[in-house]
Amino acid sequence: ALAAPRPPFDCLTREAWGGAKRAWCCAHERLGCAGLGAALAEGGGGGLAPPRLETGDLVFVRPAADASELDKAILATGAATVLWWRSHGVNASNETAWHVALAQRDASGALHFVEATPPAVVVTPAADFWRRASHATLYAGRLVGARMRALGAAATQAASAQAGTPYASDFEPPPAKFYCSSLVEWAFGVAAGEKSVFLPPGLTFKLLFEPLGFWERYYHGLNQSLPVNVSGSNPTLLLHSPAVRFTTLRPEDVVANLSATGFSSFQTFKLAGSAIGTGAPRSLTAQTVS
């Protein structure tokens, strides 16, 4: 068998890139493209150079290859959701996500993430969020258009007001409980005064469960039946929504977003291993600088 051709460029090197390399890496690896505003506000994906996550932006997480059985089932459900989007005329790419959180900056500029994660809705400092996701693929998402982005502050306020609300392990609809994507969808719905800003008008998403055998066992463990014909969401549904533009977050993007997040001037984050988003082993470790 013939060996696969080598790519013309290595998109993980850090030298100054020429125009040809930048264009190829942007088109094929989503690296080296426009900044966050240009890449996400009006266009599609692209590398961030440099990014600044703003209040109302979304961060999606895809776990490492050694994910748990539950994580893999969520990703399989995400793959089914990609097909669902395509069946409704959306040209969704293959990326899937396991978790989604809302970015929020306070008055000092410090970055936090509002998220529904067991056992309850929490507001997580960015440094803690990055550490927890250090072996994951991360995507930054931004809502499309000025009207949609203007909802960010009200949405994050609505979401953060739910801190302490129990996590919906059974994916019960909000607002008595929340799972990660239901919190995000609900919060933007509150801000917009409509059910969902992530679905085109007239379209409803019913919960998908893949692989079916896993989810039947999962709900059996909760002493419940598998939900049938129940409206809901999942992270991949939001990731590929026509209302969202997303791009891969690289390690240097994570570092750029650690400014004003509670670290003293004597601390920095050192990158170890390969880039977040490549699927290769990597980690972020806090180190003190003398």
Side-chain angles (χ1 to χ4, degrees):
L2 295 175
R6 263 184 93 179
F9 301 103
D10 180 356
C11 300
L12 298 180
T13 60
R14 296 173 182 265
E15 83 284 359
W17 290 6
K21 178 171 180 175
R22 183 173 295 276
W24 190 93
C25 290
C26 177
H28 292 84
E29 301 291 344
R30 289 187 170 177
L31 296 174
C33 305
L36 183 63
L40 300 180
E42 304 300 339
L48 312 182
R52 177 180 166 84
L53 291 168
E54 302 292 351
T55 293
D57 286 341
L58 309 177
V59 170
F60 298 88
V61 182
R62 178 185 171 90
D66 58 347
S68 69
E69 188 178 5
L70 174 60
D71 296 344
K72 291 176 181 177
I74 294 172
L75 295 177
T77 299
T81 303
V82 168
L83 297 179
W84 180 88
W85 270 126
R86 292 173 183 170
S87 73
H88 288 85
V90 174
N91 187 24
S93 51
N94 291 326
E95 292 90 347
T96 56
W98 158 84
H99 183 60
V100 60
L102 259 171
Q104 182 180 48
R105 288 195 182 271
D106 63 22
S108 71
L111 179 64
H112 299 79
F113 291 100
V114 188
E115 54 180 339
T117 185
V121 175
V122 292
V123 180
T124 305
D128 295 337
F129 185 89
W130 299 136
R131 283 197 192 95
R132 197 181 73 213
S134 64
H135 287 76
T137 299
L138 301 174
Y139 305 106
R142 178 166 290 172
L143 272 72
V144 177
R147 173 188 170 271
M148 298 292 282
R149 292 195 294 276
L151 299 174
T156 54
Q157 183 176 8
S160 60
Q162 298 300 314
T165 301
Y167 181 79
S169 297
D170 57 355
F171 305 105
E172 174 186 321
K177 298 178 183 178
F178 293 96
Y179 52 95
C180 66
S181 58
S182 76
L183 176 67
V184 173
E185 185 178 42
W186 175 86
F188 273 100
V190 169
E194 55 190 84
K195 185 175 181 180
S196 177
V197 303
F198 296 98
L199 294 172
L203 190 60
T204 300
F205 180 79
K206 302 295 185 180
L207 290 177
L208 300 174
F209 296 99
E210 293 290 343
L212 184 59
F214 169 83
W215 289 109
E216 288 175 338
R217 295 192 302 274
Y218 177 86
Y219 276 92
H220 179 75
L222 298 176
N223 293 317
Q224 297 183 30
S225 299
L226 187 76
V228 177
N229 201 32
V230 174
S231 298
S233 64
N234 62 56
T236 301
L237 182 78
L238 306 191
L239 181 70
H240 291 292
S241 167
V244 174
R245 295 293 180 267
F246 72 91
T247 189
T248 303
L249 278 172
R250 305 165 300 177
E252 54 266 40
D253 304 327
V254 172
V255 171
N257 277 284
L258 279 169
S259 59
T261 54
F263 285 90
S264 73
S265 59
F266 299 104
Q267 287 187 320
T268 189
F269 264 67
K270 179 182 177 182
L271 300 170
S274 303
I276 289 176
T278 64
R282 59 276 192 196
S283 63
L284 299 174
T285 56
Q287 292 196 343
T288 301
V289 177
S290 57

